Structure formats: C-alpha cells, structure tokens
Amino acid sequence: DPSDIFEDILPTFAIEEPQFSLGSNTNTANGLTPDKAPFASVDPVEAYIDSLPNREEPVVLTVAKDSQSLCTVMMLINNKEEVECIHNSGSQIISMSAEIASNIGLSYDPNIVLNMQSANGTMDQSLGLARNIPCTIGDITIYLQIHILWSPAYDILLGHPFDVLTQSMVNTLSDVETTITITDPNTGQRCTIPTFPRGKSKRNNR
C-alpha cells in the first residue's frame, strides 16, 4: 500500500514526474481517448514503487500535514487589554475587530476606509483607522496603524507592516513549537516570543 511509506523520516531520493502517451489505449479512466487526452501525468509515488526491484522496501517519505494551526501571540493593546493576535505575513494591513476596539475604548478615524473583496467576490468596507496605537509584546512596545473591521474571523491580525516594523523572524523549531524574534525599531532591543495554536494561549487556558 503506497500510504504505508508516509512516515516522519527524511527522503533520500528524488522522484521524477514523467508523462506517458495513452497511445491506442482507449480504455482509460473518465473515457479519455488519444484525441482528447494524448498525455497523462504519472503519480510519482506509484511510479517510484513500480520502479523498485522485487522485494525492495520503499524509502520512507516525509510529507506535510494536511493542515496546521495558525500561529498566535499575545499582545497588550493600548495599555488596556491583552489580546490574541494571529500572525499572517500575507496580509497587507494590520486589522482588528470592532468588538475588540469597543471593549478597550479605542477611537479611530472613520474617514480612512478600505474596500476589501472577499474570495466569493463580495465587497466589504473597513470602519476606519486607529493611528499610533501602543502595542506591547514581551518587553517591546511598538506603535501600530490598525484598520478596524466590522466582523472578521479574528480579534487582531498582524500583517506585513508588523513584520517590516519589527524585522520579525519566524523560527519553526518543530511542528508544535514556533517562536517569533522581533526588534524594537526605536531602541534596537530584540526579543523572542513564543507562539500558540489559535485559541490555546496561556491566557485562554486559565
């Protein structure tokens, strides 16, 4: 069974992914015929197993998990409340839910809004921009520009501006332990902070 070779051991070989011609074989899956699909890709795992000499055990492969928990950090916002923040370098902004902004009494400028398109094509508009908000992670305080959103699926999202400001470096030590090293842009002080799977920070587990 090809699934038996997927274990946590590093591979020691490279698998090619060749193509083969269907030729005159019209008895193919999904009714493919030479005129409709003259070439088809070969599954690399199956090709590797088929290439092994008789009775030779396949080399065990390391593969990625089908999903991994999002990394979060705890951050003190505006010297009032510690909030779970999702770190996502793929976002172009730093954003916060309106509920969290209301809870900590955070004011924002309603004249600075963004029009955001979701994956299904619908348009949403941000509520405004909170400027120069003091945010403390570990021993470092930074000042962030935070867009307020009506009902996102998170409390705070730390996007790429956070990475640029703090020169952040993500250190993945294992599949369950990741840290982020940040630098204070004003003092040069550096700090390494732990991350937690979403919803499993020490604060949430109290």
Side-chain angles (χ1 to χ4, degrees):
D1 183 351
S3 63
D4 293 339
I5 69 172
F6 291 97
E7 301 291 346
D8 292 331
I9 302 177
L10 291 175
T12 57
F13 68 94
I15 297 177
E16 295 183 354
E17 188 172 355
Q19 293 184 328
F20 69 92
S21 173
L22 294 179
S24 60
N25 180 16
T26 59
N27 185 22
T28 57
N30 299 321
L32 294 178
T33 59
D35 61 318
K36 294 181 179 179
F39 292 96
S41 64
V42 175
D43 177 73
V45 175
E46 184 177 14
Y48 164 64
I49 293 175
D50 289 343
S51 70
L52 293 174
N54 290 335
R55 298 182 180 179
E56 181 176 330
E57 291 294 324
V59 176
V60 180
L61 301 176
T62 299
V63 298
K65 290 184 177 180
D66 55 358
S67 65
Q68 198 75 38
S69 299
L70 293 171
C71 290
T72 67
V73 296
M74 299 305 299
M75 185 164 68
L76 180 65
I77 309 298
N78 207 26
N79 299 313
K80 292 183 178 179
E81 183 176 339
E82 199 173 34
V83 180
E84 181 183 73
C85 306
I86 294 176
H87 179 245
N88 180 5
S89 301
S91 174
Q92 293 180 308
I93 62 172
I94 298 170
S95 52
M96 173 190 294
S97 72
E99 180 180 3
I100 293 297
S102 177
N103 289 345
I104 63 178
L106 193 66
S107 61
Y108 52 87
D109 183 353
N111 294 314
I112 308 297
V113 296
L114 297 174
N115 292 313
M116 297 168 292
Q117 186 174 25
S118 63
N120 62 10
T122 60
M123 296 294 294
D124 293 312
Q125 193 174 71
S126 65
L127 301 178
L129 177 67
R131 295 187 177 92
N132 301 320
I133 306 304
C135 301
T136 302
I137 307 180
D139 297 327
I140 293 178
T141 298
I142 54 181
Y143 297 86
L144 302 178
Q145 319 307 314
I146 304 177
H147 292 268
I148 309 302
L149 308 183
W150 173 245
S151 185
Y154 50 81
D155 292 336
I156 294 178
L157 186 71
L158 297 177
H160 192 56
F162 168 82
D163 296 324
V164 173
L165 180 67
T166 63
Q167 302 175 44
S168 67
M169 293 186 297
V170 177
N171 312 296
T172 303
L173 308 178
S174 70
D175 61 346
V176 295
E177 185 176 1
T178 300
T179 62
I180 301 177
T181 299
I182 62 175
T183 301
D184 188 323
N186 298 302
T187 67
Q189 177 186 352
R190 302 180 71 216
C191 178
T192 297
I193 54 178
T195 68
F196 306 92
R198 187 179 183 184
K200 296 184 179 181
S201 67
K202 292 181 178 180
R203 175 174 172 268
N204 292 331
N205 290 335
R206 288 176 184 172

